[in-house]
């Protein structure tokens, strides 16, 4: 057992890495596809193997790898390489000041490692939360990997102007997953920081894939924001080493030094794109869809909230915790308002991602058992529903050449399968009694119990606007409007496979809600807090499952019932005479006029132009004041 | 046993009581406007007539979506009358409303699309208040469950007067009363034809109407929930006050001119923040 165990983690993190190298070297699209499938399967199996071994071992937290000298050296070398690469890119694209951030933080960590003696300790830890993240990353990330094989082919058929660097792109996706495994399994801040930096740099490369002016600007924005968070991380490492001579994450949580926690929370906030750092996430939508799906549903942003959830016990009741939960709640409401004004489907998804993350962050910031319970649920449901939505939007864009929600009018007749996937994803995001809404319910209950009126109000208003933007999208999809020219569905089999599996996962997660609570979420809360409370009782959970069934069954049953009803189909009322196809009417000059239907976007009221700047300024000033107070506490 | 009985009674009687109240509503409204008004049983005649009409539809899914709307409203109301979670019931209520919006958006008709958009706006306006009301009940009585709320020593109203004011407001929206009848109106002076129901006719429309009756009874039940405690008198008081609130809604309907969506959103969110937010804050502090 012991020997296998020691190799299991390197194997798991190594598989995507080896896969990435093979993918990178292979320029034949067909064999590259098979390599990807094989890598994904191997990755899933290894993640499952790790989990099963861990459960068989008695589900105790493992602390592994004390002596890792050569690995540390390799990491340091790689960190320097990364820094040189960033500096090179910054100078190449004339954004020289960003290189400063990279040099500073890499220099700082290296200096700490060589000058400050640290107590010898372990480097990785395997516990239920880390394993959950591994499973999410391996399965959802893996499915996105499968999807990207077909997607990239269609993408380059539609975007002839973009240089085909698919093998680099696909390889980077797998390197990213490898780094993500490393990140969640690290117990040591220095290791975690290393993987943190890799995810920052890879997201930068993925966002800049198309190398258009916009892509480059946005990728550098993502880079500097994430490096800024990384800088916070580096400062936290330095402080830990200086004060405690230990950089173990659980010791930091136990000692709960406000300055260190604050710095780490800053890193978490940037990674999870909270205000004022939200702009990098919606800028990241210029990248091909698989990278958006991967970065914004299953991995990158989840790394941020993962760190915050780890910190949750230390955040509870402290100044940092209050601020983190405020920023989260504020982000939740502001970004869900801004999402109303977006007509680009990916932008809507981006805003909704940020707002859901805000909710998770708010839960983590309160840092009691119930809120963390809700946060973990939100994380699970969000990753499955959101990745599915991203995939469906990407596939639709390849087929109809646009990702504007207005152009998805009547998608249910044009591309029925994609419309169903999208519909299930959307329902999963906000409808009672699907996962996200239940999690929101739990969060609401937990906020009420913790006596935080501000967050209760945030969640009340935020879910109202969430409802608005999803419903109007759903309304567009369901319009029964036959197009003149049928659309050709260019979605490939592997894309459909990925979406179908994600659909199945989303629905079964809702059905298995009670099991999920009992076997996954409760143990995690237990391991973080040493105690766990059922926020929802078993009877409530079962009611929920019955409700999910009824939501699925009722429309289906009604479909069967109403299908029998005989009816005459008539044209719609248009005030002018309907020409007969429900899309033209005769106007007062007797000419046939085209009817245009559009959703409500309320750009003037809820547009980014109006809301983004003030909310960024508010969030930034709150952060600045907080750090001033923390710094004052340290110096006095 | 009483729970099952109340559920069954709700499922069977709600449409009848709802339609009857609607008849009274139309009569009172007519008298307020100096008209004679239709007979009290008019809503029943209307329903019979609608069901006997020829089935014409603009597409194949509208009926299915309207049926789902009806079922979910019945489920949401049933949850309250069965004594389960009120927050969940309100969530299901929103889900039901979403089916109506989808039914209206399922045809590419300009008027029903405008109606659907406005319905969404209405939903966005009242949604925060509904959540806060459920939270208020939880804070005032320690439970989201209806059966535990009504078993309290004193009624919840004294703890949550601000939320009650807010509820009267959102009830006006839900009952499609002026000044908030944006998506469709019971009055003839509609500039968007018939809004969300423009393309519904015959049995499809009848199903939607029955759904609305279920919804009306659910809303009145929530009004009663504010006043009912463990004593018998409170039940009578609750029913009387339900009727009082219903009369108030009719009065509001007849003395107000319709506002635009801007005003609707502003009024609702402001009152939610002021009445609801402050009420919740006080409940949390005590």
């Amino acid at each position: 057992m012991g020997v296998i165990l020691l190799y299991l983690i390197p194997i798991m993190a190594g598989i995507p890495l080896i896969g990435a190298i093979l993918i990178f070297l292979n320029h034949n699209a067909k064999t590259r596809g098979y390599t990807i499938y094989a890598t994904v399967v191997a990755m899933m199996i290894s993640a499952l193997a790790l989990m099963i071994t861990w459960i068989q071992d008695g589900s105790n937290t493992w602390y592994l790898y004390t002596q890792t000298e050569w690995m540390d050296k390799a990491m340091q070398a790689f960190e320097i390489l990364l820094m040189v690469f960033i500096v090179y890119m910054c100078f190449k694209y004339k954004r020289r000041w960003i290189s400063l951030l990279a040099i500073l933080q890499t220099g700082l960590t290296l200096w700490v490692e060589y000058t400050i003696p640290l107590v010898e300790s372990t480097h990785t830890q395997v516990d239920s939360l880390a394993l959950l993240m591994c499973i999410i990353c391996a399965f959802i990330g893996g499915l996105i990997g499968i999807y990207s094989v077909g997607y990239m082919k269609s993408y380059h058929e539609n975007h002839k102007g973009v240089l085909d660097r698919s093998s680099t792109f696909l390889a980077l996706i797998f390197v990213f997953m490898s780094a993500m495994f490393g990140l969640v399994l690290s117990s040591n801040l220095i290791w975690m920081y290393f993987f943190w930096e890799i995810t920052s740099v890879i997201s930068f490369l993925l966002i800049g894939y198309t190398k258009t002016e916009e892509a480059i600007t946005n990728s550098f924005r993502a880079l500097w924001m994430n490096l800024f968070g990384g800088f916070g991380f580096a400062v936290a490492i330095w402080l830990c080493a200086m004060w405690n001579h230990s950089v173990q994450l659980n010791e930091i949580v136990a000692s709960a030094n406000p300055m260190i926690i604050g710095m780490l929370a800053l890193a978490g906030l940037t990674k999870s794109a909270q205000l004022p750092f939200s702009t990098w996430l919606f800028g990241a939508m210029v990248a091909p869809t698989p990278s958006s799906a991967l970065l914004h549903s299953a991995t990158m942003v989840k790394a941020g909230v993962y760190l915050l959830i780890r910190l949750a016990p230390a955040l509870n009741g402290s100044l940092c915790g209050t601020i983190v939960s405020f920023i989260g709640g504020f982000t939740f409401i502001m970004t869900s308002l801004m999402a109303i004004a977006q007509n680009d489907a990916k932008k809507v998804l981006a805003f909704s991602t940020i707002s859901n993350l805000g909710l998770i962050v708010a839960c983590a910031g309160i840092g009691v058992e119930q809120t963390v319970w809700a946060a973990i649920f939100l994380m699970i449901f969000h990753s499955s529903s959101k990745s599915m939505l991203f995939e469906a939007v990407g596939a639709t864009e390849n087929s109809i050449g646009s990702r504007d929600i207005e152009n998805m009018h009547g998608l249910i007749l044009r591309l029925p399968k994609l419309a169903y996937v999208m519909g299930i994803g959307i329902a999963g995001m906000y409808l009672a009694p699907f996962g996200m809404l239940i999690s929101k319910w739990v969060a609401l209950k937990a906020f009420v119990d913790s006596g935080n009126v501000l967050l209760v109000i945030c969640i009340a208003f935020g879910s109202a606007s969430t409802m608005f933007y999803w419903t109007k999208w759903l309304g567009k999809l369901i319009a029964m409007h036959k197009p003149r020219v049928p659309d050709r569905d260019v979605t490939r089999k592997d894309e459909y496979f990925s979406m179908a599996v994600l659909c199945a996962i989303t629905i079964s997660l809702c059905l298995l809600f009670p099991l999920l609570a009992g076997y996954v979420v409760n143990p995690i809360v237990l391991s973080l807090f040493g105690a766990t409370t059922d926020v929802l009782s078993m009877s409530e959970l079962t009611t929920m499952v019955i409700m999910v069934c009824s939501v699925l069954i009722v429309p289906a049953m009604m479909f069967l019932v109403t299908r029998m009803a005989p009816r005459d189909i008539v044209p719609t009322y248009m005030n002018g005479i309907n020409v007969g196809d429900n899309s033209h009417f005769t106007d007062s000059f007797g000419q046939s006029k085209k009817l245009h239907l559009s959703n409500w976007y309320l750009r003037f009221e809820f547009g980014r132009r109006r809301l983004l700047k003030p909310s960024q300024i508010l969030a930034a000033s709150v952060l600045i004041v907080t750090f001033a107070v923390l710094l004052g506490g340290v110096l006095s | 046993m009483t729970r099952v009985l109340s559920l069954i009674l709700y499922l069977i009687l709600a449409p009848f009581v709802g339609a009857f109240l609607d008849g009274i509503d139309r009569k009172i409204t007519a008298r307020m406007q100096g008209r004679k008004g239709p007979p009290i049983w008019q809503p029943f005649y209307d329903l019979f007539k609608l069901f006997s009409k020829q089935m014409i539809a603009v597409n194949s899914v509208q009926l299915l979506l309207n049926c789902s709307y009806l079922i979910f409203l019945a489920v949401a109301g049933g949850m309250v009358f069965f004594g389960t979670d009120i927050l969940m019931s309100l969530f299901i209520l929103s889900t039901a409303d979403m089916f109506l919006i989808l039914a209206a958006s399922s045809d590419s008709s300009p008027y029903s699309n405008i109606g659907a958009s406005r319905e969404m706006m209405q939903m966005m306006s009242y949604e925060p208040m509904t959540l806060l009301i459920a939270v208020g009940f939880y804070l005032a009585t320690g439970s989201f469950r209806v059966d535990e709320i009504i078993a309290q020593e004193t009624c919840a109203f004294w703890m949550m007067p601000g939320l009650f004011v807010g509820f009267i407001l959102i009830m006006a929206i839900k009952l499609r009363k002026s000044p908030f009848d944006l998506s469709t109106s019971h009055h003839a002076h509609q500039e968007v034809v018939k809004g969300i129901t423009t393309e519904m006719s015959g049995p499809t429309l009848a199903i939607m109407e029955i759904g609305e009756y279920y919804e009306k009874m659910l809303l009145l039940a929530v009004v009663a929930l504010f006043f009912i405690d463990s004593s018998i008198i409170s039940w009578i008081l609750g029913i009387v006050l339900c009727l009082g609130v219903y009369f108030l809604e009719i009065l509001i309907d007849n003395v107000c001119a319709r506002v635009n969506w801007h005003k609707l959103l502003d009024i609702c969110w402001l009152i939610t923040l002021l009445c609801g937010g402050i009420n919740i804050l006080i409940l949390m502090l005590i």
Side-chain angles (χ1 to χ4, degrees), chain A residues 309 359-361 363-364 370-380 443:
Chain A
I309 290 178
L359 202 55
I360 306 177
V361 167
C363 288
Q370 292 100 317
T371 54
V372 171
W373 202 87
I376 293 166
F377 263 116
L378 281 166
M379 205 165 72
I380 298 172

Side-chain angles (χ1 to χ4, degrees), chain A residues 151-477:
Chain A
Y151 178 87
M152 289 315 282
K153 286 182 204 155
S154 308
Y155 181 82
H156 282 291
E157 279 164 18
N158 290 339
H159 297 76
K160 294 279 185 225
V162 179
L163 182 66
D164 190 344
R165 293 183 296 141
S166 298
S167 42
T168 320
F169 182 85
L170 295 166
L172 281 175
I173 282 186
F174 282 89
V175 179
F176 193 99
M177 286 186 225
S178 173
M180 192 66 197
F181 285 135
L183 199 159
V184 294
L185 291 170
S186 300
S187 70
N188 175 304
L189 278 195
I190 292 178
W191 274 35
M192 205 182 210
Y193 166 78
F194 169 72
F195 294 116
W196 192 271
E197 286 302 283
I198 295 183
T199 56
S200 300
V201 173
I202 294 179
S203 68
F204 159 71
L205 292 173
L206 288 176
I207 296 165
Y209 177 74
T210 56
K211 290 200 170 164
T212 57
E213 195 57 45
E214 192 193 8
I216 290 168
T217 317
N218 291 348
S219 64
F220 273 99
R221 188 186 301 130
L223 183 68
W224 84 254
M225 284 187 178
N226 281 307
L227 285 181
F228 183 71
F231 181 65
F233 213 120
V235 172
I237 292 177
W238 170 53
L239 294 175
C240 286
M242 198 166 60
W243 289 336
N244 306 340
H245 292 284
S246 160
V247 286
Q248 293 305 105
L249 189 58
N250 41 9
E251 282 171 34
I252 293 159
V253 174
S255 68
N257 180 301
M259 194 65 197
I260 296 171
I261 298 290
M263 282 297 172
L264 286 176
L266 177 71
L269 289 177
T270 53
K271 213 37 149 208
S272 54
Q274 298 300 292
L275 285 168
F277 309 108
S278 302
T279 38
W280 77 260
L281 201 149
F282 44 82
M285 292 302 144
V286 294
T289 306
S291 77
S292 317
L294 185 73
L295 299 186
H296 309 135
S297 71
T299 52
M300 172 100 162
V301 293
K302 292 293 187 297
V305 291
Y306 164 78
L307 182 63
L308 288 169
I309 290 178
R310 280 259 180 237
L311 296 176
L315 289 172
N316 177 21
S318 68
L319 171 69
C320 292
T322 317
I323 297 303
V324 166
S325 62
F326 169 76
I327 298 257
F330 184 64
T331 308
F332 174 61
I333 180 163
M334 291 323 282
T335 46
S336 65
L337 285 176
M338 281 185 259
I340 292 174
Q342 306 300 320
N343 61 335
D344 179 334
K346 269 179 95 177
K347 286 266 167 64
V348 173
L349 293 182
F351 276 101
S352 115
T353 302
I354 304 173
S355 89
N356 284 314
L357 290 170
L359 202 55
I360 306 177
V361 167
C363 288
I366 301 262
V368 293
E369 289 116 70
Q370 292 100 317
T371 54
V372 171
W373 202 87
I376 293 166
F377 263 116
L378 281 166
M379 205 165 72
I380 298 172
F381 285 120
H382 179 254
S383 27
S384 70
S385 302
K386 200 42 88 52
S387 50
M388 188 167 123
L389 274 170
F390 268 117
E391 290 189 355
V393 167
T396 311
E397 188 189 1
N398 277 340
S399 295
I400 66 172
S402 159
R403 57 181 194 226
D404 189 335
I405 293 177
E406 291 301 310
N407 293 335
M408 292 183 193
H409 190 79
L411 204 66
I412 198 152
L413 293 182
R414 294 158 67 193
L415 304 166
K417 283 187 250 168
L418 289 176
Y420 281 120
V421 174
M422 236 184 252
I424 293 174
I426 292 175
M429 289 306 292
Y430 85 104
L431 270 189
F434 285 104
M436 283 304 277
L437 191 109
I438 301 304
S439 321
K440 240 178 237 176
W441 181 28
V442 175
L444 180 67
K445 213 167 163 181
F447 290 156
V448 176
D449 285 333
S450 61
N452 199 322
V453 74
L454 208 59
L455 285 182
V456 171
I457 288 174
C458 281
I459 208 171
F461 283 92
S463 27
S465 47
T466 307
M467 190 158 255
F468 189 79
Y469 67 78
W470 287 127
T471 315
K472 69 183 184 179
W473 186 349
L474 212 50
K476 271 282 162 203
L477 294 182

Side-chain angles (χ1 to χ4, degrees), chain A residues 441 449 480 568 570 573 575 605, chain B residues 54 57 87 106 111 138 262:
Chain A
W441 181 28
D449 285 333
M480 304 300 269
D568 301 328
V570 293
Y573 176 71
N575 211 346
E605 287 76 19
Chain B
Q54 182 200 357
L87 186 57
S106 71
Y111 295 102
Y138 178 65
H262 245 293

Side-chain angles (χ1 to χ4, degrees), chain A residues 337 340 409 430-433 437-438 441 444-445 448-449 451-453 456-457 460-461 463-465 467-468 471-472 474-475 478-481 540 544 547 550-551 554-555 558-559 562 565-575 582 595 597 600 602 605-606, chain B residues 54-61 63-65 67-68 71-72 75 85 87-88 91-92 94-95 98-99 101-102 105-111 113 117-118 120-121 123-124 127-128 131-132 135 138-139 144 193 198-199 261-262 265 269 272-273 277 280-281 284:
Chain A
L337 285 176
I340 292 174
H409 190 79
Y430 85 104
L431 270 189
L437 191 109
I438 301 304
W441 181 28
L444 180 67
K445 213 167 163 181
V448 176
D449 285 333
N452 199 322
V453 74
V456 171
I457 288 174
F461 283 92
S463 27
S465 47
M467 190 158 255
F468 189 79
T471 315
K472 69 183 184 179
L474 212 50
I478 207 172
M480 304 300 269
H481 188 74
E540 277 167 314
M544 222 67 65
M547 295 309 305
S550 74
V551 167
V554 168
M558 287 301 130
F559 173 71
T562 57
R567 69 200 114 176
D568 301 328
I569 302 292
V570 293
T572 56
Y573 176 71
M574 284 186 173
N575 211 346
N582 285 345
L595 169 77
L597 288 173
W600 231 349
L602 317 178
E605 287 76 19
F606 297 123
Chain B
Q54 182 200 357
M55 189 78 151
I56 56 168
V58 286
N59 62 45
S60 52
V61 299
L63 182 59
L64 136 86
L65 290 167
C67 288
S68 307
I71 302 248
F72 279 108
V75 168
D85 203 294
L87 186 57
M88 195 63 210
F91 280 144
I92 301 281
S94 319
T95 305
M98 202 232 22
F99 276 101
I101 291 170
L102 289 186
S105 325
S106 71
D107 44 61
S108 306
S109 150
Y111 295 102
N113 264 275
S117 295
R118 290 181 169 196
M120 279 184 241
M121 181 55 80
M123 243 167 115
M124 181 156 97
E127 190 67 19
L131 283 187
L132 289 188
V135 170
Y138 178 65
L139 286 170
F144 280 115
V193 189
T198 304
E199 300 297 342
W261 69 266
H262 245 293
L265 193 66
W269 280 23
T272 307
L273 262 186
I280 295 277
L281 181 65
M284 277 189 176

